[in-house]
Amino acid sequence: MNRTRRSVLALAALGALAVPTTACAQPADDELLATGGTSGGGPPSTTGEGEPLGPRVADDPDAIAEAAVQDVSDYWRVTYPEVYGDEFEEVAGFYPYGPDTEPPPCGDPPPEYELIADNAFYCPIDDIIAWDAASFLPAINEDFGGFTVAIVIAHEFGHAIQARAEAIDRTVDRELQADCFAGAWTGHVSAGEAAGFSPADVDLNQTVAGMVAIRDQPGTDPNEMMAHGSGFDRVTAYQDGYENGAEACEPYADEFEDRDTVEELFTREELANEGNLHLEDLGPDAPGLLTLLELDLNQFYDELFGELGADFEPVADLVVVDPAEDAITCGGEQLQGGDLEDIAVYCEDENVVVMDGPGLMEDLNSRIGDFAVGAEIGRLWALAAQSQLGVTGESGAGLQADCLTGVWSVSLTLPEVTPDSDLSTSPGDLDEAIQGFLAYGTALDESVGTVFERTDALRTGYRDGYNGCEEFAPLG
């Protein structure tokens, strides 16, 4: 996050090959996404359904890739005519490769292994899909589970579809369309319509983890030749395909109009701190994130309640506790010691938000970034707003809180919503919110949904505003 508010925000491959290809591997160093849980002894991360968040590793990732080739081919034989009105032309070939195999026949001469190691790509010149079966797919399998191996194949198949449809657009839009196509195929599997996979094979949480990890670095120019999109952009495209089918993906490739993305360049100020603001105040002229969040969130909900025809009572305080030293009263109960470890709650009777500072807050901030803290505090403010609107107890209340956090995140780019606050988002902030979901799962609140559902709720608020949040529960 950043203290200098911007008034506008774009909204609603690792090595050069000898021939043009679509190479789709990106740096993936977010280890918390693969393992789930926390590094500081915090609660184990779960899916939202009580299961551990870690990957379901397959015994034979090569077999999964082969099954995906067959099943995705079957899917496009039926779907391509429905979307594009033409008969589907079979892909010329599929080539797993490694350091000790013949290189895939892409160009003349074909690329050396060093140029395509740890990658998967579609080669338009020879109409083949190839992947590194020696290191890349095994790593994807270990880090994100077997089904994510199939997603890699489905994504590359998306580029083959683009070649057949003669899609022309900037790179990032074509990459997001391929993510959307992969989501559409996943929806096909989840519906029980795939011959080679069953709905039980689908692991949406780990797919989200993989897309957030295998993303552009924050601050990437979306117009760069190799841009693939932020984690939020990629997951948004994937979920669009999953929910709405391949027909929803077709408009992504439009040579005359760029898609709205949240990926953007860092400002000079953001480059200096990688878009992260200090948490604590450094003096009267240097307020920290926590002070600014309290001011901004109270102003945002005052504005939102005004649109709903209601009055918002500001949250009285953001209380940062140290479990080793502090004791508080929450809901009329005395909490101290272990009660406060990894705590993140809204205390309705006291009208305060409470968060573990040296444990949870420090973990989110140091391992992920400042908006992982901001999004969690934003969720707690949403719970306060729901309490005042009488939403508590609704089955969709937990997801609605994430949706409202998405609405608030948009307001950070609109000075007129909170005119007395100069807090704004920075590139990568929404990725950090999703990473927070992945790191803690249901450990902070058992009423929230799965990581996939929470991410979908966040993007609903971001894209559709507070009216979109009523799909989860009525706002008053």
Side-chain angles (χ1 to χ4, degrees), residues 319-342:
V319 181
V320 180
V321 295
D322 183 347
E325 299 178 359
D326 296 330
I328 64 165
T329 300
C330 181
E333 296 184 12
Q334 188 79 4
L335 302 178
Q336 61 184 0
D339 299 330
L340 300 179
E341 291 180 0
D342 291 313

Side-chain angles (χ1 to χ4, degrees), residues 182-450:
W185 173 74
T186 305
H188 167 78
V189 176
S190 291
E193 299 170 352
F197 295 85
S198 73
D201 295 323
V202 176
D203 192 342
L204 296 174
N205 292 324
Q206 283 299 313
T207 300
V208 170
M211 288 191 163
V212 173
I214 307 174
R215 73 195 191 280
D216 290 341
Q217 292 298 312
T220 296
D221 184 346
N223 294 309
E224 283 187 8
M225 183 174 294
M226 297 306 295
H228 282 55
S230 71
F232 182 81
D233 291 328
R234 298 198 67 180
V235 173
T236 290
Y238 179 82
Q239 290 182 321
D240 192 11
Y242 181 85
E243 294 173 358
N244 301 307
E247 293 83 358
C249 310
E250 189 274 334
Y252 276 52
D254 184 342
E255 64 178 310
F256 302 109
E257 183 177 356
D258 293 339
R259 286 196 64 75
D260 291 333
T261 66
V262 301
E263 185 164 66
E264 61 178 343
L265 289 166
F266 279 135
T267 64
R268 182 174 299 179
E269 179 184 357
E270 290 165 341
L271 275 173
N273 59 16
E274 297 184 336
N276 287 307
L277 184 64
H278 50 89
L279 296 186
E280 302 292 343
D281 297 346
L282 300 181
D285 297 323
L289 176 63
L290 302 181
T291 295
L292 294 171
L293 283 171
E294 187 171 352
L295 172 66
D296 195 280
L297 283 160
N298 275 332
Q299 287 190 6
F300 166 73
Y301 278 105
D302 183 69
E303 179 74 17
L304 177 59
F305 271 50
E307 294 191 24
L308 295 172
D311 294 321
F312 178 67
E313 179 184 354
V315 173
D317 198 7
L318 168 58
V319 181
V320 180
V321 295
D322 183 347
E325 299 178 359
D326 296 330
I328 64 165
T329 300
C330 181
E333 296 184 12
Q334 188 79 4
L335 302 178
Q336 61 184 0
D339 299 330
L340 300 179
E341 291 180 0
D342 291 313
I343 194 171
V345 298
Y346 169 63
C347 302
E348 183 175 5
D349 292 349
E350 295 76 15
N351 191 30
V352 298
V353 163
V354 180
M355 195 167 182
D356 173 1
L360 173 61
M361 188 177 291
E362 175 58 26
D363 186 58
L364 290 172
N365 187 53
S366 62
R367 284 205 300 150
I368 301 175
D370 63 349
F371 201 70
V373 177
E376 179 57 27
I377 292 175
R379 182 183 72 87
L380 299 176
W381 242 264
L383 297 182
Q386 289 175 315
S387 174
Q388 295 184 33
L389 291 170
V391 177
T392 54
E394 297 282 348
S395 61
L399 291 175
Q400 187 185 74
D402 288 322
C403 184
L404 290 171
T405 302
V407 180
W408 165 66
S409 69
V410 177
S411 79
L412 294 171
T413 70
L414 303 172
E416 63 272 19
V417 176
T418 52
D420 295 331
S421 170
D422 58 4
L423 192 64
S424 70
T425 54
S426 297
D429 276 351
L430 290 170
D431 292 3
E432 293 173 1
I434 299 172
Q435 288 171 295
F437 297 164
L438 288 159
Y440 275 83
T442 59
L444 303 181
D445 187 343
E446 293 183 355
S447 69
V448 300
T450 67

